[in-house]
Amino acid sequence: MKAGDNKEFWQRTAKSYGSFMKHSWKLYDTICERIRPGLTREMSVLELACGSGQLSFRLAGRVRLWEATDFSENMIVEARKKPRSSRLLFSVQDATALLYAPDSFDAVVISNALHIMPHPELALAEIRRVLKPGGILYAPTFVHGRGAGFRLRAWLLTLAGFKVYFKWTAEGFERFISEHNFQIRQTALLGGSLAPLCYLEASVQK
């Protein structure tokens, strides 16, 4: 990824990100409840934009291997400070230029990241490449909301130097995923009006 990709924001906020996200634990628990049934002990899973491990630590115990990656070195430093099992690995990687071989993973998780990437289509192309035939994409993503509260939250993030590149509605986000050769399996609108989230699962056919 290049300049303008929000990396400076994530580098700057990495130390406080875990504490800040505590107010969203209930939402992340709901996301995990939806992902868990699709995970098995035999699976290898890649997580992109893992932050400091908000989903990683909750879900890694369900699979054989969980590779959690983020392009922010500081986020990975924070994630590695926490106790973890040997099946959970953290590394710094660019979601648009992954180092893995084709057909390496049974599932890919990318949570709340595609809308804040300048070129999410590049990440989707890489996800398709590293997923095995029939592999599953889990892509819960914040979508555009309405109301004064949502607008205020968006304005405050902009003041903090955070850029949202794609202000999808839930329907627009589903359409974007479908247009990049994924078959939608399941969607649900979660969260409240302040931070609505489209939970999305899709499969890849090769």
Side-chain angles (χ1 to χ4, degrees), residues 70-89:
D70 199 285
F71 75 153
S72 167
E73 296 87 353
N74 291 351
M75 282 290 188
I76 296 301
V77 167
E78 294 303 311
R80 286 174 172 165
K81 291 178 180 178
K82 304 169 188 174
R84 62 189 184 277
S85 72
S86 59
R87 64 173 62 100
L88 173 56
L89 304 177

Side-chain angles (χ1 to χ4, degrees), residues 35-191:
I35 293 177
R36 281 192 189 100
L39 303 178
T40 68
R41 185 65 72 184
E42 295 75 31
M43 293 174 70
S44 294
V45 179
L46 172 64
E47 183 183 4
L48 304 175
C50 68
S52 53
Q54 283 63 41
L55 293 180
S56 319
F57 291 99
R58 287 174 166 95
L59 295 173
R62 307 281 294 192
V63 301
R64 181 177 64 82
L65 177 66
W66 189 283
E67 295 261 6
T69 71
D70 199 285
F71 75 153
S72 167
E73 296 87 353
N74 291 351
M75 282 290 188
I76 296 301
V77 167
E78 294 303 311
R80 286 174 172 165
K81 291 178 180 178
K82 304 169 188 174
R84 62 189 184 277
S85 72
S86 59
R87 64 173 62 100
L88 173 56
L89 304 177
F90 287 100
S91 65
V92 178
Q93 291 208 43
D94 180 347
T96 67
L98 296 170
L99 301 178
Y100 303 104
D103 302 341
S104 293
F105 295 97
D106 301 288
V108 172
V109 176
I110 180 166
S111 178
N112 298 323
L114 289 169
H115 64 308
I116 56 175
M117 292 180 175
H119 299 289
E121 72 281 0
L122 300 181
L124 288 181
E126 281 293 85
I127 291 168
R128 281 185 53 81
R129 184 181 67 80
V130 302
L131 272 174
K132 298 176 182 178
I136 304 301
L137 166 65
Y138 296 94
T141 301
F142 286 121
V143 292
H144 201 55
R146 299 183 178 88
F150 177 86
R151 291 194 297 272
L152 175 61
R153 178 177 178 271
W155 179 70
L156 291 173
L157 286 171
T158 300
L159 287 182
F162 183 81
K163 183 174 178 59
V164 175
Y165 288 90
F166 293 88
K167 298 178 180 180
W168 290 305
T169 62
E171 294 79 8
F173 179 55
E174 293 173 31
R175 187 164 54 250
F176 176 78
I177 297 296
S178 296
E179 288 171 350
H180 287 83
N181 301 312
F182 286 88
Q183 183 175 357
I184 305 295
R185 290 165 35 117
Q186 180 186 157
T187 64
L189 192 61
L190 309 177

